[in-house]
């Protein structure tokens, strides 16, 4: 059974940093691309970043380029999102995601950027 469990969210001041983690269970983690999405209050869920199965290819949306880094440790079946120089606009629930014939989502972790 596929399961994705996020952790690492919290409250951070503008300009601060957080690292999110997503532990994956129930599938061959290294064989699948993984993504982080986020959903801000009153907005649609949006893709933030994607990483290939081996980790060599990454993609980011423009608002986070140069500030966020997606990475993975296939030995630990864990996905990461390092977020630096954070802005209030980064406030959202962040979700881990993968696709294996169907979409799988984690439960989400709240990130709040505020002074």
């Amino acid at each position: 059974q596929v399961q994705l469990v996020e952790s690492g969210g919290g409250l951070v001041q503008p300009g601060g940093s957080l690292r999110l983690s997503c532990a994956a269970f129930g599938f061959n983690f290294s064989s699948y691309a993984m993504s982080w999405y986020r959903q801000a209050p009153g907005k649609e869920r949006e893709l933030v970043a994607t990483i290939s199965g081996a980790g060599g290819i990454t993609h980011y949306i423009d608002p986070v380029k140069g500030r966020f880094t997606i990475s993975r440790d296939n030995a630990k079946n864990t996905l990461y999102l390092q977020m630096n120089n954070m802005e209030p606009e980064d406030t959202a629930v962040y979700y881990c995601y993968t696709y294996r014939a169907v979409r799988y989502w984690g439960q989400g972790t709240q990130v709040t950027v505020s002074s």
Side-chain angles (χ1 to χ4, degrees), residues 21-76:
S21 298
C22 171
F25 305 91
F27 65 105
N28 188 3
F29 181 72
S30 63
S31 295
Y32 294 89
M34 299 292 299
S35 299
W36 287 99
Y37 279 73
R38 67 185 181 186
Q39 187 166 19
K43 295 187 178 181
E44 293 187 354
R45 193 171 297 190
E46 66 172 350
L47 174 67
V48 175
T50 298
I51 187 167
S52 61
I57 300 172
T58 57
H59 166 80
Y60 300 90
I61 57 171
D62 285 345
V64 308
K65 284 181 179 177
R67 301 188 298 119
F68 289 11
T69 302
I70 189 171
S71 63
R72 63 193 299 160
D73 185 337
N74 287 343
K76 296 182 178 180

Side-chain angles (χ1 to χ4, degrees), residues 32 99-104:
Y32 294 89
Y99 178 81
R100 296 178 65 244
V102 297
R103 299 183 176 190
Y104 292 98

